[in-house]
Amino acid sequence: MQVRTRHTPAFGVARLLLAPGEVVQADYAAMLATSYGIVVVPGRGGARGKVRRATFTAPAEGGWVDLAPALPGDVHTLELDGMAGWCVARGSWLAAAATVRADPQWPNFRGLFGADIGFLEHVSGDGAMVLACCGSLDVVALEAGEVITVEPSYLLAYSEVTQSRLRAVSPSVPQSVRTGEGLLLDFAGPGQVLVQTRNARAMAAWLEAGGGR
């Protein structure tokens, strides 16, 4: 799978270029268009049984799939090397090669979330993965010993080699590991952290309220 992007950084669209017979995983709700002959097999697993992820298979001559995120912003391609994985924010996943897999039982999350399902998921494998940003993307390359703090709503992803620690903003503030509410993430280098410049939940609430009208 090769990825070509356009209309970035404000209204990014990702075009997945597929070899003959190649299969990719993608967010069904983000499908904008495909070349003729692409076979789409929707999956289940979203809220109330809604279609979420699907597989897209190219015909003998190859083809393409265009994906557009629900909210305005950039699209970013991660190239996984088969060695180190990435921790990505739930809901940011747009598409991935068939050779990229989610690891729901990744042991390092137990130290962050305990037995609960948190606001991150771990991915590994070899190939491209496309993430949807809310707003633009900032790439923070941390040197050894360098430490930053990120509010979870603005986190897009970080490399698994980056040290991370989750803590409460204040004992008096309600906290949720499922959403990141009331929490902060500390990151220590070396490693890479991807941050989006807008809060997806806040933007969705603003749009639902009529865009401030």
Side-chain angles (χ1 to χ4, degrees):
M1 180 180 78
Q2 299 181 41
V3 183
R4 299 287 184 270
T5 61
R6 62 185 190 273
H7 306 312
T8 58
F11 300 100
V13 174
R15 172 162 290 189
L16 314 180
L17 302 174
L18 308 183
E22 185 174 8
V23 180
V24 298
Q25 316 161 65
D27 183 347
Y28 180 82
M31 182 182 69
L32 174 65
T34 74
S35 59
Y36 184 75
I38 294 286
V39 177
V40 183
V41 180
R44 294 283 175 179
R48 298 180 181 176
K50 291 183 179 179
V51 172
R52 182 62 177 172
R53 298 184 180 182
T55 59
F56 295 76
T57 305
E61 63 272 21
W64 53 264
V65 178
D66 277 357
L67 301 171
L71 295 174
D74 209 343
V75 288
H76 179 72
T77 305
L78 284 177
E79 293 290 346
L80 280 73
D81 60 6
M83 299 175 65
W86 281 77
C87 302
V88 303
R90 291 188 183 277
S92 65
W93 185 96
L94 198 62
T99 49
V100 173
R101 62 188 179 276
D103 306 318
Q105 302 302 321
W106 192 56
N108 290 29
F109 278 158
R110 296 195 190 102
L112 285 178
F113 307 126
D116 291 331
I117 296 175
F119 54 85
L120 297 168
E121 60 181 331
H122 183 263
V123 295
S124 60
D126 186 3
M129 181 176 194
V130 184
L131 301 178
C133 307
C134 187
S136 296
L137 176 72
D138 279 338
V139 179
V140 183
L142 297 176
E143 301 292 339
E146 185 179 1
V147 182
I148 64 169
T149 300
V150 177
E151 207 282 338
S153 299
Y154 292 87
L155 178 67
L156 185 67
Y158 63 94
S159 56
E160 70 171 34
V161 298
T162 310
Q163 297 181 58
S164 59
R165 181 185 68 173
L166 191 65
R167 59 184 171 91
V169 175
S170 168
S172 62
V173 175
Q175 297 131 29
S176 169
V177 296
R178 291 180 177 270
T179 65
E181 180 184 3
L183 300 171
L184 295 173
L185 271 166
D186 298 324
F187 294 105
Q192 194 174 80
V193 180
L194 308 182
V195 180
Q196 52 193 357
T197 62
R198 294 294 182 270
N199 182 324
R201 288 196 301 273
M203 181 176 287
W206 181 78
L207 291 171
E208 187 175 355
R213 290 183 297 174

